[in-house]
Amino acid sequence: MAPWSGLWGGRAGGDAYRGTPVVVKMENPNWSISEISPDDADEDFLVGAGATGGGRRKGGRGKNAKQITWVLLLKAHRAAGCLASLASTAVALGAAARRRVADGRTDADAGAAGAAGESPVLRSRFYAFIRAFLVLSMLLLAVELAAHFNGWNLAASALALPIIGVESLYGSWLRLRAAYLAPLLQFLTDACVVLFLIQSADRLIQCLGCFYINLKRIKPKLKSAASPDAEDPDAGYYPMVLVQIPMCNEKEVYQQSIAAVCNLDWPRSNLLVQVLDDSDDPTTQSLIKEEVAKWQQNGARILYRHRVLRDGYKAGNLKSAMSCSYVKDYEFVAIFDADFQPNPDFLKRSVPHFKDNDELGLVQARWSFVNKDENLLTRLQNINLCFHFEVEQQVNGVFLNFFGFNGTAGVWRIKALEDSGGWMERTTVEDMDIAVRAHLHGWKFFFLNDVECQCELPESYEAYRKQQHRWHSGPMQLFRLCLPDIIKSKISVWKKANLIFLFFLLRKLILPFYSFTLFCIILPMTMFVPEAELPDWVVCYIPALMSLLNILPSPKSFPFIIPYLLFENTMSVTKFNAMISGLFQLGSAYEWVVTKKSGRSSEGDLIALAVVPPKELRHQKTGSVPNLDLVIMKDPSSPPTMNDAKKKKKKHNRIYKKELVLSLLLLTAAARSLLTKQGIHFYFLLFQGISFLLVGLDLIGEQVE
């Protein structure tokens, strides 16, 4: 390496030479710092060192040698610390894996009871090919490593030559790979890339629409003023409103939901609350009955309703409640799930939009989450749902007057429900079903982005996984059932195209399909068939841009952009499985598991409700005034009961075999990518494989000691 007169050499202009000449030898992949003594150095290397430099050379040499030694020691210390932290992390991960395996509970054990009517062959066939890919990838990795270390770098022109021994077999594999496997894999890669670009363009257009809405400050406006007269509190727009709270074994959250609904600021005579309890636990039924009785004694118009025949899950529960004779006296129905707590002014901010707008069938409010900062899982869910409400729902509501009903925190015109056929139990997404049928009948929807309703997010991966399975299998069931009705409907061609291609195919089918196929199957297989190429912009740049767009509605979550990208690809396994189950009507498509709630927000919400501003109490004769002192609140200092102890014993973390299998496949592909020196592919596969490993061991979300 040629010497230079800069940091390590002498200075120009006659400055004396200071320090020891050092040559940095860059040898790929190692590098070393060699110290050269002045006696052995080339004279040209010491240009600029004067006659007096000899006296300074000795002292300067010792000083620079010490500096280099300290720098190297510091770097060695940092490297050792990094290795120690990695080692401790690996040990902790291994210990967690050992505990999970020793516990002996897997996701297959969890789904055995819920899918009792499903054939074991059908349940295992779907991911059988992934296991085959894993075995094949391990064999290919072994072959590629042997070829790499033995120097079997066969050129394309030499593949036709007869080679004996193991090299002949390897040459045959290369010819087979290039002639048959690579074209097929490249075709699948190109097809998925096209779908990926179409879906990315759709998301970009939605984000631009949201930007335009915020720039122009567009939001649904009231057709006529509905504010009450200051002198006559009974004046104003106060139609008859029915409030429904469907619940099933919601022991943790029933108090806060009933308290919040009974605290709605609406004339008491024009408001009726239905508590639709589908609980099969007698203790839970008794507790909810007592809670309803307390609010009845307090003056609230609230009814408890329990079905004898619990068919149709939530849709059957709502359908049964709408069949009551007194429902005909009400014009609107507001629906809140058991963990939702609307603000007292919820009805005053949502119901007036119906006035003088006979085409309006639904007003949907957005959700806010009281436990969004509880753990990493809730933070990632918050990113997803903020984008869903801020971008998807708002853009569709403003430009199309249509979006999927979220099943709660919404107000329906009862006439729109009846005109659309009412609640049906044919799918697990009864909310989307009624929204699509109402849209086909010409009803319009409003989304109120500035009206929020608090709820809580699933804090365990098991609960979130089951929720996502239901949310992604139901739309495919609905698509099969609604497609003929969409084609035969009288709505415009543009609205039909939007429903079929954008609402269902692109966002409900293509999105989970390409996410799973492209990043979990095709990408690792291209490492073993390098003739099929996946560009860097598909692996890194476009996904990073899409993740950045997704995180814009929740800017405080920006530090979690990389975990969000990895976790979304990890969840594509569950979403793809659910999509296939719903599309082909497999047994798990009809599985309904109530999302577990922690009730973490109940204490804070009840305290907030207890402090009622004086202006909210000025019309006590017309509003429902709660007595929150009578709300049963469990004393944290009270000793745990036997039932609590049994419940705690039942809680445990699981291991998820599908995610673990994919983690091994991705990590094996990452090791193979080192041989081809594909940097971006290696890092993506490595981190994605680690993400699958963490999720497979249930190390994300709530942890049970």
mmCIF file of all heavy atoms in Angstrom, residues 640-674:
data_model
loop_
_atom_site.group_PDB
_atom_site.id
_atom_site.type_symbol
_atom_site.label_atom_id
_atom_site.label_comp_id
_atom_site.label_asym_id
_atom_site.label_seq_id
_atom_site.Cartn_x
_atom_site.Cartn_y
_atom_site.Cartn_z
ATOM 1 N N PRO A 640 -56.812 -13.530 47.115
ATOM 2 C CA PRO A 640 -57.370 -14.210 45.955
ATOM 3 C C PRO A 640 -58.240 -15.384 46.373
ATOM 4 O O PRO A 640 -57.977 -16.055 47.358
ATOM 5 C CB PRO A 640 -56.123 -14.685 45.187
ATOM 6 C CG PRO A 640 -55.047 -14.767 46.220
ATOM 7 C CD PRO A 640 -55.349 -13.691 47.210
ATOM 8 N N THR A 641 -59.299 -15.595 45.612
ATOM 9 C CA THR A 641 -60.202 -16.700 45.886
ATOM 10 C C THR A 641 -59.692 -17.971 45.201
ATOM 11 O O THR A 641 -58.730 -17.954 44.427
ATOM 12 C CB THR A 641 -61.604 -16.364 45.376
ATOM 13 O OG1 THR A 641 -61.541 -16.169 43.956
ATOM 14 C CG2 THR A 641 -62.122 -15.085 46.030
ATOM 15 N N MET A 642 -60.397 -19.089 45.469
ATOM 16 C CA MET A 642 -60.021 -20.352 44.853
ATOM 17 C C MET A 642 -60.213 -20.299 43.343
ATOM 18 O O MET A 642 -59.416 -20.857 42.589
ATOM 19 C CB MET A 642 -60.854 -21.489 45.454
ATOM 20 C CG MET A 642 -60.535 -21.783 46.912
ATOM 21 S SD MET A 642 -58.825 -22.350 47.119
ATOM 22 C CE MET A 642 -58.900 -23.899 46.228
ATOM 23 N N ASN A 643 -61.259 -19.606 42.910
ATOM 24 C CA ASN A 643 -61.489 -19.499 41.469
ATOM 25 C C ASN A 643 -60.367 -18.727 40.782
ATOM 26 O O ASN A 643 -59.937 -19.072 39.680
ATOM 27 C CB ASN A 643 -62.835 -18.821 41.193
ATOM 28 C CG ASN A 643 -64.003 -19.684 41.609
ATOM 29 O OD1 ASN A 643 -63.904 -20.906 41.626
ATOM 30 N ND2 ASN A 643 -65.122 -19.036 41.948
ATOM 31 N N ASP A 644 -59.886 -17.658 41.458
ATOM 32 C CA ASP A 644 -58.775 -16.889 40.881
ATOM 33 C C ASP A 644 -57.520 -17.739 40.786
ATOM 34 O O ASP A 644 -56.765 -17.669 39.815
ATOM 35 C CB ASP A 644 -58.497 -15.640 41.725
ATOM 36 C CG ASP A 644 -59.665 -14.665 41.678
ATOM 37 O OD1 ASP A 644 -60.405 -14.713 40.692
ATOM 38 O OD2 ASP A 644 -59.832 -13.889 42.638
ATOM 39 N N ALA A 645 -57.281 -18.531 41.823
ATOM 40 C CA ALA A 645 -56.094 -19.386 41.810
ATOM 41 C C ALA A 645 -56.163 -20.410 40.684
ATOM 42 O O ALA A 645 -55.177 -20.675 39.986
ATOM 43 C CB ALA A 645 -55.944 -20.092 43.167
ATOM 44 N N LYS A 646 -57.347 -20.998 40.498
ATOM 45 C CA LYS A 646 -57.497 -21.970 39.423
ATOM 46 C C LYS A 646 -57.306 -21.308 38.064
ATOM 47 O O LYS A 646 -56.710 -21.871 37.156
ATOM 48 C CB LYS A 646 -58.876 -22.616 39.496
ATOM 49 C CG LYS A 646 -59.047 -23.542 40.703
ATOM 50 C CD LYS A 646 -60.438 -24.152 40.710
ATOM 51 C CE LYS A 646 -60.622 -25.078 41.914
ATOM 52 N NZ LYS A 646 -61.993 -25.659 41.937
ATOM 53 N N LYS A 647 -57.826 -20.086 37.950
ATOM 54 C CA LYS A 647 -57.697 -19.382 36.679
ATOM 55 C C LYS A 647 -56.236 -19.073 36.363
ATOM 56 O O LYS A 647 -55.791 -19.180 35.228
ATOM 57 C CB LYS A 647 -58.511 -18.090 36.725
ATOM 58 C CG LYS A 647 -58.565 -17.356 35.395
ATOM 59 C CD LYS A 647 -59.469 -16.158 35.512
ATOM 60 C CE LYS A 647 -59.534 -15.425 34.179
ATOM 61 N NZ LYS A 647 -60.383 -14.249 34.239
ATOM 62 N N LYS A 648 -55.469 -18.701 37.377
ATOM 63 C CA LYS A 648 -54.067 -18.403 37.152
ATOM 64 C C LYS A 648 -53.300 -19.658 36.761
ATOM 65 O O LYS A 648 -52.380 -19.620 35.964
ATOM 66 C CB LYS A 648 -53.455 -17.771 38.408
ATOM 67 C CG LYS A 648 -53.924 -16.343 38.655
ATOM 68 C CD LYS A 648 -53.223 -15.743 39.850
ATOM 69 C CE LYS A 648 -53.667 -14.291 40.076
ATOM 70 N NZ LYS A 648 -52.989 -13.685 41.232
ATOM 71 N N LYS A 649 -53.670 -20.776 37.311
ATOM 72 C CA LYS A 649 -52.984 -22.005 36.967
ATOM 73 C C LYS A 649 -53.232 -22.399 35.518
ATOM 74 O O LYS A 649 -52.402 -23.037 34.897
ATOM 75 C CB LYS A 649 -53.438 -23.130 37.906
ATOM 76 C CG LYS A 649 -52.921 -22.989 39.327
ATOM 77 C CD LYS A 649 -53.380 -24.154 40.188
ATOM 78 C CE LYS A 649 -52.866 -24.014 41.618
ATOM 79 N NZ LYS A 649 -53.331 -25.128 42.474
ATOM 80 N N LYS A 650 -54.369 -22.023 34.985
ATOM 81 C CA LYS A 650 -54.702 -22.384 33.619
ATOM 82 C C LYS A 650 -53.966 -21.520 32.609
ATOM 83 O O LYS A 650 -53.860 -21.889 31.458
ATOM 84 C CB LYS A 650 -56.208 -22.259 33.396
ATOM 85 C CG LYS A 650 -57.030 -23.298 34.148
ATOM 86 C CD LYS A 650 -58.508 -23.131 33.848
ATOM 87 C CE LYS A 650 -59.333 -24.165 34.606
ATOM 88 N NZ LYS A 650 -60.789 -24.005 34.332
ATOM 89 N N LYS A 651 -53.494 -20.345 33.003
ATOM 90 C CA LYS A 651 -52.830 -19.451 32.071
ATOM 91 C C LYS A 651 -51.408 -19.928 31.817
ATOM 92 O O LYS A 651 -50.688 -20.292 32.743
ATOM 93 C CB LYS A 651 -52.819 -18.024 32.620
ATOM 94 C CG LYS A 651 -54.202 -17.409 32.739
ATOM 95 C CD LYS A 651 -54.129 -16.014 33.329
ATOM 96 C CE LYS A 651 -53.389 -15.069 32.411
ATOM 97 N NZ LYS A 651 -53.379 -13.703 32.945
ATOM 98 N N HIS A 652 -51.005 -19.930 30.573
ATOM 99 C CA HIS A 652 -49.672 -20.368 30.214
ATOM 100 C C HIS A 652 -49.347 -19.853 28.829
ATOM 101 O O HIS A 652 -50.236 -19.495 28.048
ATOM 102 C CB HIS A 652 -49.570 -21.896 30.235
ATOM 103 C CG HIS A 652 -50.677 -22.578 29.497
ATOM 104 N ND1 HIS A 652 -51.802 -23.045 30.130
ATOM 105 C CD2 HIS A 652 -50.848 -22.822 28.177
ATOM 106 C CE1 HIS A 652 -52.629 -23.562 29.230
ATOM 107 N NE2 HIS A 652 -52.075 -23.437 28.044
ATOM 108 N N ASN A 653 -48.053 -19.802 28.521
ATOM 109 C CA ASN A 653 -47.612 -19.479 27.174
ATOM 110 C C ASN A 653 -47.490 -20.758 26.356
ATOM 111 O O ASN A 653 -47.257 -21.832 26.900
ATOM 112 C CB ASN A 653 -46.257 -18.756 27.219
ATOM 113 C CG ASN A 653 -46.362 -17.392 27.856
ATOM 114 O OD1 ASN A 653 -45.982 -17.213 29.006
ATOM 115 N ND2 ASN A 653 -46.875 -16.427 27.130
ATOM 116 N N ARG A 654 -47.635 -20.626 25.068
ATOM 117 C CA ARG A 654 -47.580 -21.781 24.190
ATOM 118 C C ARG A 654 -46.421 -21.646 23.217
ATOM 119 O O ARG A 654 -45.798 -20.585 23.110
ATOM 120 C CB ARG A 654 -48.894 -21.924 23.407
ATOM 121 C CG ARG A 654 -50.121 -22.140 24.285
ATOM 122 C CD ARG A 654 -51.353 -22.365 23.432
ATOM 123 N NE ARG A 654 -52.548 -22.530 24.249
ATOM 124 C CZ ARG A 654 -52.934 -23.690 24.776
ATOM 125 N NH1 ARG A 654 -52.224 -24.781 24.555
ATOM 126 N NH2 ARG A 654 -54.026 -23.766 25.513
ATOM 127 N N ILE A 655 -46.147 -22.738 22.513
ATOM 128 C CA ILE A 655 -45.202 -22.698 21.402
ATOM 129 C C ILE A 655 -45.991 -22.973 20.127
ATOM 130 O O ILE A 655 -46.907 -23.791 20.110
ATOM 131 C CB ILE A 655 -44.049 -23.709 21.573
ATOM 132 C CG1 ILE A 655 -44.586 -25.133 21.773
ATOM 133 C CG2 ILE A 655 -43.152 -23.316 22.722
ATOM 134 C CD1 ILE A 655 -43.494 -26.174 21.867
ATOM 135 N N TYR A 656 -45.641 -22.264 19.065
ATOM 136 C CA TYR A 656 -46.384 -22.324 17.817
ATOM 137 C C TYR A 656 -45.501 -22.976 16.755
ATOM 138 O O TYR A 656 -44.499 -22.403 16.332
ATOM 139 C CB TYR A 656 -46.827 -20.926 17.395
ATOM 140 C CG TYR A 656 -47.736 -20.299 18.422
ATOM 141 C CD1 TYR A 656 -47.219 -19.483 19.431
ATOM 142 C CD2 TYR A 656 -49.102 -20.549 18.423
ATOM 143 C CE1 TYR A 656 -48.050 -18.931 20.389
ATOM 144 C CE2 TYR A 656 -49.939 -20.000 19.380
ATOM 145 C CZ TYR A 656 -49.405 -19.196 20.359
ATOM 146 O OH TYR A 656 -50.224 -18.653 21.318
ATOM 147 N N LYS A 657 -45.895 -24.181 16.356
ATOM 148 C CA LYS A 657 -45.043 -25.014 15.526
ATOM 149 C C LYS A 657 -44.866 -24.439 14.122
ATOM 150 O O LYS A 657 -43.773 -24.533 13.548
ATOM 151 C CB LYS A 657 -45.627 -26.425 15.450
ATOM 152 C CG LYS A 657 -45.637 -27.147 16.798
ATOM 153 C CD LYS A 657 -46.043 -28.604 16.651
ATOM 154 C CE LYS A 657 -47.484 -28.729 16.217
ATOM 155 N NZ LYS A 657 -47.926 -30.150 16.194
ATOM 156 N N LYS A 658 -45.903 -23.851 13.562
ATOM 157 C CA LYS A 658 -45.784 -23.323 12.202
ATOM 158 C C LYS A 658 -44.758 -22.196 12.144
ATOM 159 O O LYS A 658 -43.932 -22.134 11.223
ATOM 160 C CB LYS A 658 -47.141 -22.833 11.727
ATOM 161 C CG LYS A 658 -48.185 -23.929 11.629
ATOM 162 C CD LYS A 658 -49.565 -23.353 11.367
ATOM 163 C CE LYS A 658 -50.631 -24.443 11.390
ATOM 164 N NZ LYS A 658 -51.998 -23.902 11.226
ATOM 165 N N GLU A 659 -44.808 -21.313 13.120
ATOM 166 C CA GLU A 659 -43.851 -20.204 13.153
ATOM 167 C C GLU A 659 -42.431 -20.712 13.387
ATOM 168 O O GLU A 659 -41.472 -20.179 12.814
ATOM 169 C CB GLU A 659 -44.246 -19.204 14.232
ATOM 170 C CG GLU A 659 -45.422 -18.310 13.880
ATOM 171 C CD GLU A 659 -46.774 -18.998 14.014
ATOM 172 O OE1 GLU A 659 -46.777 -20.192 14.399
ATOM 173 O OE2 GLU A 659 -47.805 -18.353 13.752
ATOM 174 N N LEU A 660 -42.281 -21.732 14.221
ATOM 175 C CA LEU A 660 -40.949 -22.284 14.464
ATOM 176 C C LEU A 660 -40.393 -22.945 13.207
ATOM 177 O O LEU A 660 -39.197 -22.821 12.904
ATOM 178 C CB LEU A 660 -41.001 -23.290 15.615
ATOM 179 C CG LEU A 660 -41.200 -22.712 17.011
ATOM 180 C CD1 LEU A 660 -41.254 -23.828 18.044
ATOM 181 C CD2 LEU A 660 -40.090 -21.733 17.361
ATOM 182 N N VAL A 661 -41.222 -23.674 12.480
ATOM 183 C CA VAL A 661 -40.767 -24.306 11.242
ATOM 184 C C VAL A 661 -40.301 -23.250 10.247
ATOM 185 O O VAL A 661 -39.240 -23.380 9.622
ATOM 186 C CB VAL A 661 -41.900 -25.176 10.651
ATOM 187 C CG1 VAL A 661 -41.566 -25.598 9.229
ATOM 188 C CG2 VAL A 661 -42.125 -26.401 11.519
ATOM 189 N N LEU A 662 -41.076 -22.175 10.108
ATOM 190 C CA LEU A 662 -40.682 -21.116 9.182
ATOM 191 C C LEU A 662 -39.429 -20.386 9.649
ATOM 192 O O LEU A 662 -38.633 -19.924 8.826
ATOM 193 C CB LEU A 662 -41.834 -20.134 9.008
ATOM 194 C CG LEU A 662 -42.907 -20.560 8.005
ATOM 195 C CD1 LEU A 662 -44.067 -19.589 8.014
ATOM 196 C CD2 LEU A 662 -42.329 -20.655 6.607
ATOM 197 N N SER A 663 -39.245 -20.254 10.949
ATOM 198 C CA SER A 663 -38.026 -19.608 11.440
ATOM 199 C C SER A 663 -36.791 -20.418 11.054
ATOM 200 O O SER A 663 -35.778 -19.849 10.633
ATOM 201 C CB SER A 663 -38.103 -19.432 12.957
ATOM 202 O OG SER A 663 -37.962 -20.668 13.625
ATOM 203 N N LEU A 664 -36.890 -21.743 11.152
ATOM 204 C CA LEU A 664 -35.759 -22.584 10.749
ATOM 205 C C LEU A 664 -35.507 -22.479 9.249
ATOM 206 O O LEU A 664 -34.360 -22.440 8.799
ATOM 207 C CB LEU A 664 -36.028 -24.033 11.144
ATOM 208 C CG LEU A 664 -36.114 -24.309 12.647
ATOM 209 C CD1 LEU A 664 -36.466 -25.766 12.895
ATOM 210 C CD2 LEU A 664 -34.809 -23.952 13.344
ATOM 211 N N LEU A 665 -36.582 -22.422 8.462
ATOM 212 C CA LEU A 665 -36.422 -22.271 7.020
ATOM 213 C C LEU A 665 -35.741 -20.953 6.676
ATOM 214 O O LEU A 665 -34.809 -20.911 5.860
ATOM 215 C CB LEU A 665 -37.793 -22.359 6.351
ATOM 216 C CG LEU A 665 -37.853 -22.067 4.847
ATOM 217 C CD1 LEU A 665 -37.026 -23.090 4.080
ATOM 218 C CD2 LEU A 665 -39.277 -22.065 4.352
ATOM 219 N N LEU A 666 -36.164 -19.864 7.301
ATOM 220 C CA LEU A 666 -35.593 -18.555 6.996
ATOM 221 C C LEU A 666 -34.151 -18.440 7.474
ATOM 222 O O LEU A 666 -33.305 -17.859 6.787
ATOM 223 C CB LEU A 666 -36.453 -17.463 7.634
ATOM 224 C CG LEU A 666 -37.841 -17.281 7.006
ATOM 225 C CD1 LEU A 666 -38.712 -16.414 7.905
ATOM 226 C CD2 LEU A 666 -37.737 -16.655 5.630
ATOM 227 N N LEU A 667 -33.856 -18.973 8.651
ATOM 228 C CA LEU A 667 -32.483 -18.912 9.161
ATOM 229 C C LEU A 667 -31.549 -19.774 8.314
ATOM 230 O O LEU A 667 -30.385 -19.422 8.099
ATOM 231 C CB LEU A 667 -32.452 -19.353 10.624
ATOM 232 C CG LEU A 667 -33.144 -18.402 11.609
ATOM 233 C CD1 LEU A 667 -33.161 -18.992 13.006
ATOM 234 C CD2 LEU A 667 -32.458 -17.038 11.626
ATOM 235 N N THR A 668 -32.035 -20.916 7.835
ATOM 236 C CA THR A 668 -31.235 -21.743 6.931
ATOM 237 C C THR A 668 -30.967 -21.009 5.623
ATOM 238 O O THR A 668 -29.848 -21.037 5.094
ATOM 239 C CB THR A 668 -31.963 -23.070 6.650
ATOM 240 O OG1 THR A 668 -32.264 -23.720 7.877
ATOM 241 C CG2 THR A 668 -31.110 -23.984 5.791
ATOM 242 N N ALA A 669 -31.984 -20.335 5.099
ATOM 243 C CA ALA A 669 -31.794 -19.547 3.881
ATOM 244 C C ALA A 669 -30.834 -18.388 4.114
ATOM 245 O O ALA A 669 -30.070 -18.015 3.215
ATOM 246 C CB ALA A 669 -33.141 -19.033 3.387
ATOM 247 N N ALA A 670 -30.865 -17.808 5.312
ATOM 248 C CA ALA A 670 -29.921 -16.729 5.622
ATOM 249 C C ALA A 670 -28.484 -17.245 5.602
ATOM 250 O O ALA A 670 -27.576 -16.572 5.094
ATOM 251 C CB ALA A 670 -30.256 -16.125 6.986
ATOM 252 N N ALA A 671 -28.264 -18.444 6.144
ATOM 253 C CA ALA A 671 -26.926 -19.034 6.099
ATOM 254 C C ALA A 671 -26.504 -19.302 4.659
ATOM 255 O O ALA A 671 -25.345 -19.094 4.285
ATOM 256 C CB ALA A 671 -26.902 -20.325 6.915
ATOM 257 N N ARG A 672 -27.429 -19.748 3.829
ATOM 258 C CA ARG A 672 -27.113 -20.005 2.415
ATOM 259 C C ARG A 672 -26.809 -18.702 1.674
ATOM 260 O O ARG A 672 -25.966 -18.681 0.767
ATOM 261 C CB ARG A 672 -28.285 -20.727 1.762
ATOM 262 C CG ARG A 672 -28.171 -20.898 0.251
ATOM 263 C CD ARG A 672 -26.977 -21.765 -0.130
ATOM 264 N NE ARG A 672 -26.837 -21.906 -1.557
ATOM 265 C CZ ARG A 672 -26.274 -21.023 -2.377
ATOM 266 N NH1 ARG A 672 -25.813 -19.876 -1.878
ATOM 267 N NH2 ARG A 672 -26.174 -21.255 -3.665
ATOM 268 N N SER A 673 -27.463 -17.601 2.048
ATOM 269 C CA SER A 673 -27.237 -16.337 1.356
ATOM 270 C C SER A 673 -25.829 -15.807 1.569
ATOM 271 O O SER A 673 -25.343 -14.997 0.773
ATOM 272 C CB SER A 673 -28.261 -15.296 1.815
ATOM 273 O OG SER A 673 -28.038 -14.940 3.169
ATOM 274 N N LEU A 674 -25.156 -16.251 2.632
ATOM 275 C CA LEU A 674 -23.780 -15.812 2.850
ATOM 276 C C LEU A 674 -22.858 -16.304 1.746
ATOM 277 O O LEU A 674 -21.868 -15.652 1.414
ATOM 278 C CB LEU A 674 -23.282 -16.320 4.209
ATOM 279 C CG LEU A 674 -23.872 -15.639 5.445
ATOM 280 C CD1 LEU A 674 -23.363 -16.323 6.704
ATOM 281 C CD2 LEU A 674 -23.527 -14.163 5.466
#
